[in-house]
Structures are given as structure tokens and as C-alpha cells.
Amino acid sequence: MDEQNNVEMLEERVSPSLKKIVKEKEPLVTHQTDLLPKINVQNLNVYYHTTQALKQIEIQIKPQRVTALIGPSGCGKSTFLRTLNRMNDTISGARAEGTVMIDGVNIFAPNINVVALRRLVGMVFQKSNPFPKSIFDNVAYGLRVHGIKDSNNLQERVEESLIKSALWEEVKDRLHESAMALSGGQQQRLCIARALAVNPEIVLMDEPASALDPISTAKIEELIHVLKRDYTIVIVTHNMQQAARVSDWTAYFYMGSLVEYGETKKIFTAPDKKETEDYITGRFG
Amino acid sequence: MERHFHTELKELKQSAYQMGQQVQTALQKSLASLFDRNANLAQAVVDEDAILNQMEIEIDRKGHNLSALGQPVAQDLRLITSLLKINTDLERIGDHCVNIAERVLLIMEEPPLESKSDLPAMATLTAKMFSDALQSFSSEDPQTAQALLERDDEIDSLNDSLFFDFEELMEKKPEYVRVCMNLIMVAHNLERIADLTNNIAENIIYLKLGKEVRHHSES
């Protein structure tokens, strides 16, 4: 296959929504064609002022799979997660070197529209953070920000997002009540609905169930399992069993370095590195 | 600081090792009862099997509790799953020792067999394989375990040749039919003990290296 065909094939595979984040069209990378990773990270270094938080990270995150990031506190996993939608840009003194390609587009390129990037790469946080508005308005918020005003369209998208986040049946009769009245687990699923409403392709989750009871946790985990059919999910978790249950791939970080990355079933039965083994079996960390 | 879970896991492994020692004693006694025509030893093997049965249940119970409560992964998971399989293999080897002892009690009702056979060689080799497997389990030594796997062919070949030797003897001397039939069954039990010892060796390799060698697996 010649170079020109490669470019055309790749362009076909890049989603229309991704193309929107590039302000001015630039030639796309052509070195990967088959089994294109959704996210391809090369030589990533991240610093907070003079402290290096991530060192030479290289990882290819698979599309429509759940990738768990594990490691002790301060290992860099949350920094890595926030790098994927440039949330670190909001932290004073934070800077990144290297490349993070999403569907072949470098998100650090100067022509990237960061707001559009964050719509494409949604995020769910450890603590649910609904706005002090109605359930409906919480989910519709992002849509309105992106210019959707038509009420039928809004209604449709809100319902679709609440169905996807497995919350619809519980709230369909009280959409205009305050989101603050929902339980912790429902609030977290509402935040997932809010992230899904703007049609992301990647969903980042930073310990999404760490503040929830076992039943709410199970619902979130089941939801993650269903959502991976449509989304690429990257999740940070301190709960080893949760990582084992929900993810297809696992990356173990330690002191800013990626120690091991592999299929979850391999990592949790026979990891290649002793450091990984010691961490997941609780002999260290 | 060692986690409580790892202390309990070590205790579980120690229990399995103790069961292995008990099986080794049963094997030695059953073979001694065969070659020394000692009915008391044979009866002791039969009677002491209840101890092994109890040990098997206890190890299973502890292993299931540790799995449920400790939620093991990686080497801990491999150790527990391997211990549970080794536990079953040890109990089955104990049953084969009982089978040998019961054959000995029947053989002793017959006149002693005067012709020579490869049965002592097969018994010695089987006992050595089991002893090496137990040592390899104790020290988690995959090299010794790997070497054991290569010795199984020798046992199979001894079993085959013994079968033909006894068959021939039965044709020539019908008065030995009953004793030869029992000795063929003893050889069969030894062959099964060697197979189960191989299973133990495969599990030692898996628990230590995470490498699958069962059924000549490449992965």
C-alpha cells in the first residue's frame, strides 16, 4: 500500500468529531494503519514546575476497551489521565513534552481546540459534582454550551444519555427535580450521563466509585462494561479488584514511569515484572 | 511488614507439604508391605487413609476461605489454585496407595511369586519421583519439577513391559493367574501415581513461573 493510500485510509477512520478539534487541517501521521490505537502516547514527559511527574511514557490505548491505570499514590496515574484531555493545562506550572495522538492527531499541537478536545474526551471525577440545577438541566448543560437550543433535540439527547448511564428508569418521572436530591451513586451516574450527552469518544474516569457503597459501585462497574461497546474508557482506580473486574488492559505506574502494560487477565495472573507482582499482591505499596 | 493474608497462605502451603509427607509415608509403607509381604503394614495404609481424607477437606476449606476473603491475584492466586489441585492429586495418590495395600492383602493369600520382574524397579522409580516432587514443592523449584516430567515415559514403558511379562507368565503357569492379575493392578496403580506426580510437577512450574506446561502446552 502506497503512502497516499495510507493517508486516505487513515482520514476515513478519523471520526468527523475528531476532525473538528483540528482548527486548521494538517497532514495526519501515516505510520500506523492496522489496529490503530485510539490513543497513542509517545515519549511523554510531564512536569509540575521542576518536578517531573511522568517520565518517557509510551502506551497505546485500544479503542472500545477499558484500560485501568493502577499504582500507589503519587505514581503519576492521575496526571497521565488528565494529560489525555489536557486538563493539566489548568494547573499552574504544568507542562508536557512528547506526543499524545488521538486517532492520529497530536493533541499538543498548537492548532488544537482544547474545548472541543474535552468534549471528545469526557471526564468523570472521584466525587460526583452535579450542578445545583435540575436533573434535566445537568445533562443538557453541555449540549446548550455547544449551541443546541432546540427543545425536542435536547429532550431526545438527555433521555438517550440517561438511558446510557442506566439512570433513566430511576429519574424519568422527576427530571425537573434538583439533582442534589439524588443519592451519591445516582449523582455519579448523572455525571456520567452529562459526560455522554456531548457525544464523547473517550471517557476518562478518576476513581469513579471510590466514594460509593458496594451496590452503587456494582452499578457503575456494570455501566462501564456496557459503555465500552461505544466508548474508549480509561479509569484510574486504587481498588485492585475493581481494576481486575472492569478493565481489559491494565497499566501499572510507579514514580512517574510506566512499569508494565498488558492485558488485565495476564497482569492479574502472571505479570512479567516483579514490581507489578509485588504491588498487586500487596507486598509493596 | 508481612500481611496477615501471606502468613495464612504460608500456613496453607505448609499444610499441603505435611499432607505430601503423609502420602509419602503411605507410599513407602504400601511398597514395603508388597515386597516384604507384610500384612500389618498393608492394613496400616488402609486404616491411615482417613487421615489423608481429613487433610484434603481441611486444605480445601482453608484454600476456599483464603480465596474468598483475601481475593488473591498473581503469584498468590497461582499458589492457591495450584495448592488446591495438588491437594486433590495428593489425595488420589493416597487412594492408589490404599489400592496397592489391598492388593497386597489379596496377594498374601497366594503362594509367593518366584520369577523376577521389573516391578521393584518401577516401584523405586515411582517413589523417587514422588520424593523429588515433594522436595520441589517445598522449595518451589521449577527445574526439578521440569526434570520429573521427562521421567514419566520410563514409568509408562516399565508398565507396558510388566504387563506383557505377567501375561506371558500367566499363560505358562496358570497357578499364578490370581497373583499376576493383582500385580498388574499394582503396576497400574504405580503408573497412575507417577501421572499424578507429574500433575504436581506441572503445578509447581505454573505456581512459580506462571508458565503453562500441561498437555505439552506452549503458552
Side-chain angles (χ1 to χ4, degrees):
Chain A
M1 192 178 290
D2 61 29
E3 186 86 346
Q4 186 56 37
N5 280 345
N6 268 345
V7 173
E8 284 169 9
M9 229 181 88
L10 194 67
E11 288 191 339
E12 278 169 20
R13 293 174 66 165
V14 173
S15 64
S17 52
L18 181 78
K19 283 178 180 168
K20 286 182 197 159
I21 73 167
V22 184
K23 289 173 185 166
E24 294 163 17
K25 197 171 177 193
E26 284 192 341
L28 297 167
V29 285
T30 59
H31 60 280
Q32 284 166 332
T33 53
D34 293 331
L35 299 173
L36 199 67
K38 188 71 181 174
I39 306 170
N40 187 357
V41 177
Q42 299 285 334
N43 298 319
L44 176 68
N45 293 291
V46 175
Y47 303 84
Y48 295 119
H49 298 286
T50 54
T51 305
Q52 189 166 5
L54 288 176
K55 299 167 190 166
Q56 290 293 316
I57 305 298
E58 306 234 345
I59 187 170
Q60 284 79 47
I61 292 173
K62 317 286 175 196
Q64 287 162 300
R65 294 286 183 275
V66 180
T67 300
L69 311 179
I70 60 169
S73 297
C75 70
K77 57 191 186 299
S78 290
T79 295
F80 178 73
L81 192 78
R82 288 195 303 267
T83 304
L84 301 180
N85 66 351
R86 288 185 50 181
M87 286 288 279
N88 285 332
D89 291 9
T90 62
I91 298 171
S92 164
R95 66 188 166 88
E97 293 169 355
T99 54
V100 173
M101 316 287 274
I102 296 181
D103 283 340
V105 174
N106 185 4
I107 65 166
F108 295 148
N111 59 344
I112 289 294
N113 176 341
V114 178
V115 174
L117 169 70
R118 290 180 193 149
R119 189 200 59 67
L120 182 78
V121 187
M123 195 157 189
V124 177
F125 298 89
Q126 180 177 7
K127 193 172 179 315
S128 56
N129 51 355
F131 304 132
K133 293 170 175 286
S134 72
I135 294 166
F136 185 94
D137 286 344
N138 261 274
V139 184
Y141 187 85
L143 298 168
R144 288 180 174 132
V145 166
H146 284 87
I148 297 173
K149 305 287 181 203
D150 176 67
S151 66
N152 285 340
N153 193 3
L154 279 175
Q155 184 74 40
E156 214 170 87
R157 298 275 291 269
V158 166
E159 180 176 337
E160 185 188 321
S161 303
L162 286 168
I163 289 171
K164 277 185 176 173
S165 67
L167 191 59
W168 176 250
E169 287 302 321
E170 293 163 54
V171 301
K172 63 183 177 187
D173 299 325
R174 47 179 175 139
L175 291 176
H176 297 287
E177 290 177 18
S178 170
M180 310 310 282
L182 296 174
S183 71
Q186 287 172 326
Q187 286 188 6
Q188 192 61 304
R189 278 180 285 146
L190 180 70
C191 292
I192 293 173
R194 196 171 61 191
L196 300 183
V198 293
N199 277 342
E201 295 186 9
I202 298 166
V203 180
L204 310 178
M205 298 184 169
D206 195 353
E207 298 189 59
S210 64
L212 303 179
D213 65 71
I215 292 172
S216 300
T217 298
K219 283 183 180 169
I220 296 285
E221 289 181 3
E222 198 51 39
L223 182 56
I224 290 169
H225 185 70
V226 172
L227 290 177
K228 75 175 179 183
R229 290 180 203 147
D230 298 321
Y231 305 93
T232 301
I233 296 172
V234 186
I235 177 172
V236 164
T237 178
H238 275 291
N239 181 330
M240 292 298 103
Q241 280 71 39
Q242 182 171 70
R245 282 193 299 267
V246 304
S247 71
D248 304 293
W249 292 77
T250 295
Y252 170 54
F253 284 78
Y254 181 60
M255 291 180 74
S257 297
L258 176 60
V259 176
E260 187 166 353
Y261 173 53
E263 281 193 86
T264 298
K265 59 188 171 195
K266 170 89 165 62
I267 296 278
F268 282 89
T269 54
D272 287 334
K273 301 275 177 66
K274 186 177 181 302
E275 299 95 299
T276 313
E277 182 118 34
D278 286 349
Y279 179 70
I280 63 173
T281 57
R283 289 180 169 83
F284 154 80
Chain B
M1 186 181 73
E2 186 169 89
R3 283 173 64 202
H4 184 60
F5 169 78
H6 290 128
T7 309
E8 288 188 35
L9 194 52
K10 273 186 191 167
E11 286 168 6
L12 181 67
K13 190 188 163 202
Q14 184 57 25
S15 299
Y17 180 67
Q18 282 166 355
M19 181 169 174
Q21 287 178 313
Q22 181 76 20
V23 171
Q24 189 170 33
T25 303
L27 181 59
Q28 285 163 348
K29 281 183 180 173
S30 65
L31 295 177
S33 73
L34 173 68
F35 296 116
D36 301 343
R37 292 176 69 84
N38 184 330
N40 288 338
L41 267 183
Q43 191 57 50
V45 173
V46 175
D47 294 343
E48 285 163 14
D49 189 48
I51 299 171
L52 284 175
N53 293 342
Q54 196 51 46
M55 284 175 130
E56 183 198 20
I57 290 168
E58 191 59 19
I59 289 168
D60 261 358
R61 190 186 61 76
K62 284 184 187 166
H64 290 147
N65 284 348
L66 269 181
S67 298
L69 305 178
Q71 302 183 353
V73 293
Q75 59 174 301
D76 298 339
L77 176 68
R78 298 200 304 274
L79 180 56
I80 290 185
T81 55
S82 299
L83 281 176
L84 292 175
K85 287 181 184 173
I86 288 170
N87 185 35
T88 304
D89 289 336
L90 287 174
E91 195 278 334
R92 291 294 299 135
I93 292 174
D95 285 346
H96 286 295
C97 294
V98 169
N99 291 348
I100 292 172
E102 286 171 345
R103 295 286 165 188
V104 169
L105 295 173
L106 294 173
I107 287 166
M108 288 185 63
E109 293 169 7
E110 304 294 323
L113 191 65
E114 283 170 7
S115 65
K116 295 206 170 203
S117 79
D118 282 337
L119 196 59
M122 187 180 181
T124 305
L125 183 56
T126 306
K128 177 77 170 79
M129 281 178 71
F130 184 80
S131 161
D132 287 353
L134 194 58
Q135 183 52 44
S136 156
F137 172 63
S138 172
S139 54
E140 292 184 18
D141 167 17
Q143 279 78 31
T144 304
Q146 183 64 46
L148 275 173
L149 300 181
E150 284 141 29
R151 279 149 67 181
D152 190 46
D153 289 346
E154 213 177 321
I155 291 285
D156 289 343
S157 140
L158 279 168
N159 188 33
D160 290 345
S161 75
L162 269 169
F163 181 86
F164 291 119
D165 290 347
F166 286 131
E167 196 180 36
E168 200 178 309
L169 187 61
M170 285 189 283
E171 281 169 6
K172 284 183 188 162
K173 298 187 173 179
E175 66 273 24
Y176 284 142
V177 165
R178 201 181 289 272
V179 70
C180 283
M181 286 299 292
N182 281 312
L183 289 174
I184 285 172
M185 292 314 295
V186 167
H188 172 71
N189 280 299
L190 288 173
E191 191 270 335
R192 290 299 302 131
I193 289 172
D195 280 348
L196 292 163
T197 302
N198 262 8
N199 290 357
I200 293 173
E202 288 165 353
N203 274 303
I204 292 163
I205 293 167
Y206 180 69
L207 79 86
K208 192 64 187 168
L209 305 177
K211 186 180 158 196
E212 191 60 81
V213 294
R214 287 180 300 178
H215 313 300
H216 308 288
S217 170
E218 295 298 319
S219 60

